[in-house]
Coordinates of all heavy atoms in Angstrom, one line a residue:
M1 N -27.9 -46.2 78.5 CA -28.2 -45.8 77.0 C -29.1 -44.6 77.0 O -28.8 -43.8 76.3 CB -28.6 -47.0 76.4 CG -28.4 -46.9 74.9 SD -28.6 -48.4 74.0 CE -28.7 -47.9 72.4
T2 N -30.1 -44.6 78.0 CA -30.9 -43.5 77.9 C -30.0 -42.2 78.6 O -29.3 -42.5 79.6 CB -32.2 -43.7 78.7 OG1 -31.9 -44.3 80.0 CG2 -33.1 -44.5 77.8
H3 N -30.5 -41.1 78.3 CA -29.7 -40.1 78.7 C -30.4 -38.9 79.4 O -30.1 -37.8 79.3 CB -28.9 -39.5 77.5 CG -27.7 -38.6 77.8 ND1 -27.8 -37.3 77.9 CD2 -26.4 -39.0 78.1 CE1 -26.5 -36.8 78.3 NE2 -25.8 -37.9 78.3
N4 N -31.6 -39.2 80.0 CA -32.3 -38.3 80.7 C -32.9 -37.2 79.7 O -33.8 -36.3 80.2 CB -31.4 -37.5 81.7 CG -31.7 -38.0 83.0 OD1 -32.4 -38.8 83.3 ND2 -31.0 -37.5 84.1
G5 N -32.6 -37.2 78.6 CA -33.2 -36.1 77.6 C -33.4 -36.7 76.3 O -33.5 -37.9 76.1
T6 N -33.4 -35.9 75.3 CA -33.6 -36.2 74.0 C -32.4 -36.7 73.3 O -31.3 -36.1 73.5 CB -34.1 -35.0 73.1 OG1 -35.2 -34.4 73.8 CG2 -34.5 -35.5 71.7
V7 N -32.4 -37.9 72.7 CA -31.3 -38.5 72.1 C -31.2 -37.9 70.7 O -32.2 -38.1 69.9 CB -31.3 -40.0 72.1 CG1 -30.1 -40.5 71.2 CG2 -31.3 -40.5 73.5
L8 N -30.2 -37.2 70.3 CA -30.0 -36.6 69.1 C -29.0 -37.4 68.1 O -27.9 -37.6 68.6 CB -29.6 -35.2 69.2 CG -29.8 -34.3 67.9 CD1 -31.3 -34.1 67.7 CD2 -29.1 -32.9 68.2
R9 N -29.4 -37.6 67.0 CA -28.6 -38.4 66.1 C -28.5 -37.7 64.7 O -29.4 -37.3 64.2 CB -29.0 -39.7 65.8 CG -28.0 -40.6 65.1 CD -28.5 -42.0 64.8 NE -28.7 -42.8 66.1 CZ -29.0 -44.0 66.1 NH1 -29.3 -44.7 65.0 NH2 -29.3 -44.6 67.3
T10 N -27.3 -37.3 64.3 CA -27.1 -36.6 63.1 C -27.1 -37.6 61.9 O -26.5 -38.7 62.0 CB -25.8 -35.9 63.0 OG1 -25.8 -35.1 64.2 CG2 -25.6 -35.1 61.9
V11 N -27.9 -37.3 60.9 CA -28.1 -38.1 59.7 C -27.8 -37.2 58.5 O -27.8 -36.0 58.5 CB -29.5 -38.6 59.6 CG1 -29.8 -39.6 60.8 CG2 -30.5 -37.6 59.7
Y12 N -27.5 -37.9 57.4 CA -27.1 -37.3 56.3 C -28.0 -37.6 55.1 O -27.8 -37.5 53.9 CB -25.7 -37.6 55.8 CG -24.7 -37.2 56.9 CD1 -24.2 -38.1 57.8 CD2 -24.2 -35.9 56.9 CE1 -23.3 -37.7 58.7 CE2 -23.4 -35.5 57.9 CZ -22.9 -36.4 58.8 OH -21.9 -36.0 59.8
D13 N -29.2 -38.3 55.5 CA -30.2 -38.6 54.5 C -31.4 -37.7 54.6 O -31.8 -37.3 55.8 CB -30.6 -40.1 54.7 CG -29.5 -41.1 54.5 OD1 -28.7 -40.9 53.6 OD2 -29.3 -41.9 55.4
F14 N -31.9 -37.3 53.5 CA -33.1 -36.5 53.5 C -33.9 -36.8 52.3 O -33.3 -37.1 51.1 CB -32.7 -35.0 53.4 CG -33.8 -34.1 53.5 CD1 -34.4 -33.8 54.8 CD2 -34.3 -33.4 52.4 CE1 -35.3 -32.9 55.0 CE2 -35.3 -32.6 52.5 CZ -35.9 -32.3 53.8
P15 N -35.3 -36.9 52.4 CA -36.1 -36.5 53.5 C -36.4 -37.6 54.5 O -37.1 -37.3 55.4 CB -37.4 -36.0 52.8 CG -37.5 -36.9 51.7 CD -36.0 -37.2 51.2
V16 N -35.8 -38.7 54.2 CA -36.2 -39.9 55.1 C -34.8 -40.4 55.6 O -33.9 -40.8 54.9 CB -36.9 -41.1 54.4 CG1 -37.2 -42.2 55.2 CG2 -38.3 -40.4 53.9
A17 N -34.8 -40.6 56.9 CA -33.5 -41.1 57.5 C -33.8 -42.6 58.0 O -34.8 -42.8 58.7 CB -33.0 -40.4 58.7
A18 N -33.0 -43.5 57.7 CA -33.1 -44.9 58.1 C -32.2 -45.1 59.2 O -31.1 -44.6 59.4 CB -32.8 -45.9 57.0
H19 N -32.7 -46.0 60.1 CA -31.9 -46.3 61.3 C -32.4 -47.7 61.8 O -33.5 -48.1 61.5 CB -32.1 -45.3 62.5 CG -33.4 -45.4 63.2 ND1 -34.5 -44.9 62.6 CD2 -33.7 -45.8 64.3 CE1 -35.4 -45.0 63.3 NE2 -35.1 -45.6 64.5
I20 N -31.5 -48.4 62.6 CA -32.0 -49.6 63.3 C -32.5 -49.3 64.6 O -31.8 -48.7 65.5 CB -30.7 -50.6 63.3 CG1 -30.1 -50.9 61.9 CG2 -31.1 -51.8 64.0 CD1 -28.9 -51.7 61.9
C21 N -33.7 -49.7 64.7 CA -34.5 -49.2 65.9 C -34.2 -50.1 67.1 O -33.5 -51.0 67.1 CB -36.0 -49.2 65.5 SG -37.0 -48.1 66.5
S22 N -34.9 -49.7 68.2 CA -34.6 -50.5 69.5 C -35.0 -51.9 69.4 O -34.5 -52.7 70.2 CB -35.3 -49.8 70.6 OG -36.7 -49.6 70.3
D23 N -35.9 -52.2 68.4 CA -36.3 -53.5 68.4 C -35.6 -54.3 67.3 O -35.9 -55.5 67.0 CB -37.9 -53.7 68.0 CG -38.2 -52.9 66.7 OD1 -37.3 -52.4 66.1 OD2 -39.3 -53.0 66.4
G24 N -34.6 -53.7 66.8 CA -33.7 -54.4 65.8 C -34.1 -54.3 64.3 O -33.4 -54.9 63.4
T25 N -35.2 -53.7 64.1 CA -35.7 -53.6 62.7 C -35.4 -52.2 62.2 O -35.1 -51.3 62.9 CB -37.2 -53.7 62.6 OG1 -37.8 -52.7 63.4 CG2 -37.6 -55.1 63.2
V26 N -35.2 -52.1 60.9 CA -34.9 -50.8 60.3 C -36.2 -50.1 60.1 O -37.2 -50.5 59.6 CB -34.2 -51.0 58.8 CG1 -33.9 -49.8 58.1 CG2 -33.0 -51.9 59.0
R27 N -36.1 -48.8 60.5 CA -37.3 -47.9 60.4 C -36.8 -46.6 59.7 O -35.7 -46.3 59.7 CB -37.8 -47.5 61.9 CG -38.5 -48.7 62.6 CD -39.0 -48.2 63.9 NE -39.5 -49.3 64.7 CZ -40.7 -49.7 64.7 NH1 -41.6 -49.0 63.9 NH2 -41.1 -50.8 65.4
Y28 N -37.8 -46.1 59.1 CA -37.5 -44.9 58.3 C -38.3 -43.7 58.9 O -39.5 -43.7 59.1 CB -38.1 -45.1 56.8 CG -37.3 -46.2 56.2 CD1 -37.8 -47.5 56.3 CD2 -36.1 -46.0 55.6 CE1 -37.2 -48.6 55.7 CE2 -35.4 -47.1 54.9 CZ -36.0 -48.3 55.1 OH -35.3 -49.3 54.5
T29 N -37.6 -42.7 59.2 CA -38.2 -41.5 59.9 C -38.2 -40.4 59.0 O -37.1 -40.0 58.3 CB -37.4 -41.2 61.2 OG1 -37.4 -42.3 62.0 CG2 -38.1 -40.0 61.9
R30 N -39.4 -39.7 58.7 CA -39.4 -38.7 57.8 C -38.9 -37.4 58.5 O -39.3 -37.1 59.7 CB -40.9 -38.4 57.4 CG -41.0 -37.4 56.4 CD -42.4 -37.4 55.8 NE -42.7 -36.5 54.8 CZ -42.4 -36.9 53.5 NH1 -42.2 -38.0 53.2 NH2 -42.7 -36.0 52.5
L31 N -38.2 -36.6 57.8 CA -37.5 -35.4 58.4 C -38.4 -34.1 57.8 O -38.6 -34.2 56.7 CB -36.1 -35.3 58.1 CG -35.2 -36.4 58.4 CD1 -33.7 -36.2 57.9 CD2 -35.2 -36.8 59.8
V32 N -38.7 -33.4 58.8 CA -39.5 -32.2 58.5 C -38.7 -30.9 58.6 O -38.0 -30.7 59.7 CB -40.8 -32.1 59.3 CG1 -41.6 -30.9 58.9 CG2 -41.6 -33.4 59.1
R33 N -38.7 -30.1 57.7 CA -37.8 -28.9 57.7 C -38.6 -27.9 58.5 O -39.8 -27.6 58.3 CB -37.5 -28.3 56.3 CG -36.6 -27.1 56.3 CD -36.4 -26.8 55.0 NE -35.8 -27.7 54.1 CZ -34.4 -27.9 54.1 NH1 -33.6 -27.0 54.7 NH2 -33.8 -28.8 53.3
R34 N -38.0 -27.2 59.5 CA -38.5 -26.1 60.3 C -37.9 -24.8 59.8 O -36.7 -24.7 59.3 CB -38.3 -26.4 61.8 CG -38.9 -27.5 62.2 CD -38.6 -27.6 63.8 NE -39.2 -28.8 64.4 CZ -39.0 -29.1 65.6 NH1 -38.4 -28.2 66.5 NH2 -39.5 -30.2 66.2
A35 N -38.6 -23.7 60.0 CA -38.1 -22.5 59.7 C -36.9 -22.1 60.5 O -36.8 -22.1 61.7 CB -39.2 -21.4 59.9
G36 N -35.8 -21.9 59.9 CA -34.6 -21.5 60.5 C -33.8 -22.6 61.1 O -32.7 -22.3 61.7
C37 N -34.3 -23.8 60.9 CA -33.6 -25.1 61.5 C -33.3 -26.1 60.5 O -33.9 -26.1 59.4 CB -34.4 -25.6 62.7 SG -34.7 -24.4 64.1
E38 N -32.4 -26.9 60.9 CA -32.2 -28.1 60.0 C -33.4 -29.1 60.1 O -34.0 -29.0 61.1 CB -30.9 -28.8 60.4 CG -29.7 -27.9 60.3 CD -29.3 -27.7 58.8 OE1 -29.7 -28.5 57.9 OE2 -28.7 -26.7 58.5
P39 N -33.7 -29.8 59.0 CA -34.7 -30.8 59.2 C -34.5 -31.8 60.2 O -33.5 -32.3 60.5 CB -34.8 -31.5 57.8 CG -34.0 -30.5 56.9 CD -33.0 -29.8 57.8
Q40 N -35.7 -32.1 61.1 CA -35.6 -33.0 62.1 C -36.8 -33.9 62.0 O -37.8 -33.7 61.4 CB -35.7 -32.3 63.4 CG -34.4 -31.6 63.9 CD -34.4 -31.1 65.3 OE1 -35.6 -31.1 65.8 NE2 -33.3 -30.7 65.8
G41 N -36.6 -35.1 62.6 CA -37.7 -36.1 62.7 C -37.4 -37.0 63.9 O -36.3 -37.2 64.3
V42 N -38.6 -37.4 64.5 CA -38.4 -38.2 65.8 C -39.1 -39.6 65.5 O -40.1 -39.7 64.8 CB -39.2 -37.5 66.9 CG1 -39.0 -38.4 68.2 CG2 -38.6 -36.1 67.2
C43 N -38.3 -40.6 65.8 CA -38.8 -41.8 65.7 C -39.8 -42.1 66.8 O -39.4 -42.1 68.0 CB -37.7 -42.9 65.7 SG -38.3 -44.6 65.7
P44 N -41.0 -42.5 66.6 CA -42.0 -42.7 67.6 C -41.8 -43.9 68.5 O -42.3 -44.1 69.6 CB -43.3 -42.8 66.9 CG -43.0 -43.3 65.5 CD -41.5 -42.8 65.3
A45 N -41.0 -44.9 68.0 CA -40.7 -46.1 68.6 C -39.6 -46.0 69.7 O -39.7 -46.4 70.7 CB -40.4 -47.2 67.6
C46 N -38.4 -45.4 69.4 CA -37.4 -45.2 70.2 C -37.1 -43.9 70.6 O -36.1 -43.5 71.4 CB -36.2 -45.9 69.6 SG -35.5 -45.0 68.1
N47 N -37.8 -42.8 70.1 CA -37.8 -41.5 70.5 C -36.4 -40.8 70.3 O -36.0 -39.9 70.9 CB -38.0 -41.3 72.1 CG -39.5 -41.3 72.3 OD1 -40.3 -40.8 71.5 ND2 -40.0 -41.9 73.4
I48 N -35.7 -41.3 69.3 CA -34.5 -40.6 68.9 C -34.8 -39.6 67.9 O -35.5 -39.8 67.0 CB -33.5 -41.6 68.3 CG1 -33.0 -42.8 69.2 CG2 -32.3 -41.0 67.6 CD1 -32.1 -43.8 68.6
T49 N -34.2 -38.5 68.2 CA -34.4 -37.3 67.2 C -33.4 -37.4 66.1 O -32.1 -37.4 66.6 CB -34.4 -36.0 68.0 OG1 -35.5 -36.0 69.0 CG2 -34.5 -34.8 67.1
F50 N -33.7 -37.3 64.9 CA -32.7 -37.3 63.9 C -32.7 -35.8 63.3 O -33.7 -35.4 62.9 CB -33.3 -38.3 62.8 CG -33.2 -39.7 63.2 CD1 -34.3 -40.3 63.8 CD2 -32.0 -40.4 63.3 CE1 -34.4 -41.5 64.4 CE2 -32.1 -41.7 63.8 CZ -33.2 -42.3 64.2
Q51 N -31.5 -35.4 63.2 CA -31.3 -34.1 62.7 C -30.4 -34.1 61.4 O -29.4 -34.7 61.5 CB -30.7 -33.2 63.7 CG -30.4 -31.7 63.2 CD -30.2 -30.7 64.2 OE1 -29.9 -31.1 65.4 NE2 -30.4 -29.4 63.9
Y52 N -31.1 -33.7 60.4 CA -30.2 -33.7 59.1 C -29.0 -32.7 59.1 O -29.2 -31.6 59.6 CB -31.2 -33.4 57.9 CG -30.5 -33.2 56.6 CD1 -30.1 -34.3 56.0 CD2 -30.3 -32.0 56.1 CE1 -29.3 -34.2 54.8 CE2 -29.7 -31.9 54.8 CZ -29.2 -33.0 54.2 OH -28.5 -32.9 53.0
R53 N -28.0 -33.1 58.5 CA -26.9 -32.3 58.4 C -26.4 -32.4 56.9 O -26.2 -33.5 56.4 CB -25.8 -32.7 59.5 CG -24.7 -31.6 59.6 CD -23.8 -32.0 60.8 NE -22.9 -31.0 61.1 CZ -22.1 -31.2 62.1 NH1 -22.0 -32.2 62.8 NH2 -21.2 -30.2 62.4
K54 N -26.1 -31.3 56.4 CA -25.4 -31.3 55.1 C -24.1 -32.1 55.1 O -23.2 -31.7 55.8 CB -25.3 -30.0 54.4 CG -26.6 -29.3 54.1 CD -26.3 -28.0 53.5 CE -27.8 -27.3 53.2 NZ -27.5 -26.0 52.6
P55 N -23.9 -33.0 54.1 CA -22.6 -33.8 54.1 C -21.5 -32.7 53.9 O -21.7 -31.8 53.0 CB -22.8 -34.7 53.0 CG -24.4 -34.8 52.8 CD -24.9 -33.5 53.1
K56 N -20.4 -33.1 54.4 CA -19.2 -32.2 54.0 C -18.9 -32.6 52.6 O -18.9 -33.6 52.1 CB -18.2 -32.6 55.0 CG -18.4 -32.2 56.4 CD -17.2 -32.6 57.3 CE -17.5 -32.2 58.8 NZ -16.4 -32.5 59.6
P57 N -18.3 -31.4 52.0 CA -18.0 -31.7 50.5 C -16.7 -32.4 50.4 O -15.7 -31.9 49.7 CB -17.8 -30.2 50.1 CG -17.4 -29.5 51.3 CD -18.1 -30.1 52.4
S58 N -16.7 -33.6 51.0 CA -15.5 -34.4 50.8 C -15.7 -35.4 49.7 O -16.8 -36.0 49.6 CB -15.2 -35.1 52.1 OG -14.2 -36.1 51.9
R59 N -14.8 -35.7 48.9 CA -14.9 -36.6 47.7 C -14.5 -38.0 48.2 O -14.7 -39.0 47.4 CB -14.0 -36.2 46.6 CG -14.5 -34.8 46.0 CD -13.5 -34.4 44.9 NE -13.8 -33.1 44.4 CZ -13.0 -32.5 43.5 NH1 -12.0 -33.0 43.0 NH2 -13.4 -31.2 43.0
V60 N -13.9 -38.1 49.4 CA -13.5 -39.5 49.8 C -14.7 -40.1 50.5 O -15.2 -39.5 51.4 CB -12.3 -39.2 50.7 CG1 -11.9 -40.7 51.3 CG2 -11.2 -38.6 50.0
R61 N -15.0 -41.2 50.0 CA -16.0 -42.1 50.7 C -15.4 -43.2 51.5 O -14.8 -44.1 50.8 CB -17.0 -42.5 49.7 CG -17.9 -41.5 49.1 CD -19.1 -42.1 48.4 NE -20.0 -41.2 47.9 CZ -21.2 -41.5 47.5 NH1 -21.6 -42.8 47.6 NH2 -22.1 -40.6 47.1
H62 N -15.5 -43.2 52.8 CA -15.0 -44.3 53.5 C -16.2 -45.3 53.7 O -17.4 -44.9 53.9 CB -14.5 -43.8 54.7 CG -15.4 -43.0 55.5 ND1 -16.2 -43.5 56.6 CD2 -15.5 -41.7 55.7 CE1 -16.8 -42.5 57.1 NE2 -16.5 -41.5 56.6
P63 N -15.9 -46.5 53.7 CA -17.0 -47.5 54.1 C -17.7 -47.3 55.3 O -16.9 -47.0 56.4 CB -16.3 -48.8 53.8 CG -14.9 -48.5 54.1 CD -14.7 -47.1 53.7
S64 N -19.1 -47.4 55.4 CA -19.7 -47.3 56.6 C -19.4 -48.4 57.6 O -19.3 -49.6 57.2 CB -21.2 -47.3 56.4 OG -21.9 -47.3 57.6
S65 N -19.0 -48.0 58.8 CA -18.7 -49.0 59.8 C -20.0 -49.4 60.7 O -19.8 -50.0 61.7 CB -17.6 -48.5 60.8 OG -18.0 -47.2 61.3
Q66 N -21.1 -48.9 60.4 CA -22.2 -49.1 61.2 C -23.1 -50.2 60.7 O -24.0 -50.6 61.4 CB -23.1 -47.9 61.4 CG -22.3 -46.7 62.0 CD -23.1 -45.4 62.0 OE1 -24.4 -45.5 61.6 NE2 -22.6 -44.4 62.7
G67 N -22.7 -50.7 59.5 CA -23.5 -52.0 59.0 C -24.8 -51.6 58.5 O -25.5 -52.4 58.0
A68 N -25.2 -50.3 58.4 CA -26.4 -49.8 57.8 C -26.3 -49.8 56.3 O -25.2 -49.4 55.8 CB -26.8 -48.6 58.3
S69 N -27.3 -50.3 55.7 CA -27.2 -50.3 54.2 C -27.5 -49.0 53.7 O -28.4 -48.3 54.1 CB -28.0 -51.4 53.6 OG -29.4 -51.1 54.1
H70 N -26.9 -48.6 52.5 CA -27.3 -47.3 51.9 C -28.5 -47.5 51.0 O -28.7 -48.6 50.6 CB -26.1 -46.8 51.2 CG -25.0 -46.4 52.1 ND1 -25.0 -45.1 52.7 CD2 -23.9 -47.0 52.6 CE1 -23.8 -45.0 53.4 NE2 -23.2 -46.1 53.4
F71 N -29.0 -46.5 50.6 CA -30.1 -46.6 49.6 C -29.5 -46.7 48.2 O -28.5 -46.2 47.8 CB -30.9 -45.3 49.6 CG -31.7 -45.1 50.9 CD1 -31.4 -44.4 51.8 CD2 -33.1 -45.7 50.9 CE1 -32.1 -44.3 53.1 CE2 -33.7 -45.5 52.1 CZ -33.3 -44.8 53.1
Ligands
LIG101 ZN1 -36.4 -46.0 66.2

């Protein structure tokens, strides 16, 4: 599961991204916008880097298959 480097996960939530952490609890990582880059945040517990990405302008919403609850 570890990948020798930084684990990057794309998220569509801003400024806080929720994820299920390595211990099974939901954690919220604050994303910080950098100059010239998309906002990023790193979870200190599992070291996953979350990178914000603007959602595609699709009107179709498909149900999430990851089991994470939406805000
Ligand atoms: Zn985490």
Side-chain angles (χ1 to χ4, degrees):
M1 200 160 164
T2 48
H3 199 269
N4 259 359
T6 306
V7 178
L8 191 70
R9 187 180 296 184
T10 302
V11 293
Y12 300 97
D13 296 317
F14 186 80
V16 177
H19 72 287
I20 299 178
C21 204
S22 52
D23 58 358
T25 62
V26 177
R27 289 181 188 270
Y28 300 92
T29 303
R30 187 177 187 85
L31 307 178
V32 179
R33 185 182 295 274
R34 297 181 184 179
C37 297
E38 299 291 333
Q40 283 187 353
V42 180
C43 175
C46 64
N47 278 327
I48 294 179
T49 299
F50 297 93
Q51 179 159 19
Y52 173 72
R53 195 174 190 179
K54 288 183 180 178
K56 294 180 181 180
S58 171
R59 295 178 185 173
V60 180
R61 287 197 176 194
H62 56 86
S64 173
S65 58
Q66 296 181 356
S69 59
H70 291 274
F71 287 97

